[in-house]
Amino acid sequence: MDNPFTDRRGQILDTTQPGIRHIQDMIREHKPVSVLMQSGSELEGIILWQDVEYIGLQHEDGRPLLLINRHAISVLSALG
């Protein structure tokens, strides 16, 4: 029997969803992306990974990895 207090597994990323699969394709192909945040700011880089809550974005200029909460993203699009 699973105990919710001791079970440390998080939610599972549903790879049957088309948006998740599209992001996985961008990760595999190392496609540069533009991320428009709900705040209006725009970020560019390459997505290194995704999980249920966050996307790991690597800036092309070598700055540290940026964790972006999925709920804060307005538009995510591939560049070029």
Side-chain angles (χ1 to χ4, degrees), residues 39-68:
S39 66
S41 62
E42 187 173 358
L43 305 166
E44 291 185 359
I46 296 172
I47 302 172
L48 296 183
W49 55 263
Q50 66 174 329
D51 64 22
V52 176
E53 294 185 38
Y54 291 93
I55 289 177
L57 184 74
Q58 179 67 56
H59 293 282
E60 292 181 334
D61 63 5
R63 287 184 277 170
L65 182 71
L66 182 63
L67 300 180
I68 302 172

Side-chain angles (χ1 to χ4, degrees), residues 19-47:
I20 300 295
R21 287 196 318 263
H22 184 64
I23 293 172
Q24 284 301 115
D25 289 342
M26 288 190 276
I27 292 169
R28 265 191 295 282
E29 297 168 10
H30 301 290
K31 283 197 180 234
V33 298
S34 171
V35 182
L36 180 60
M37 306 300 291
Q38 289 184 5
S39 66
S41 62
E42 187 173 358
L43 305 166
E44 291 185 359
I46 296 172
I47 302 172

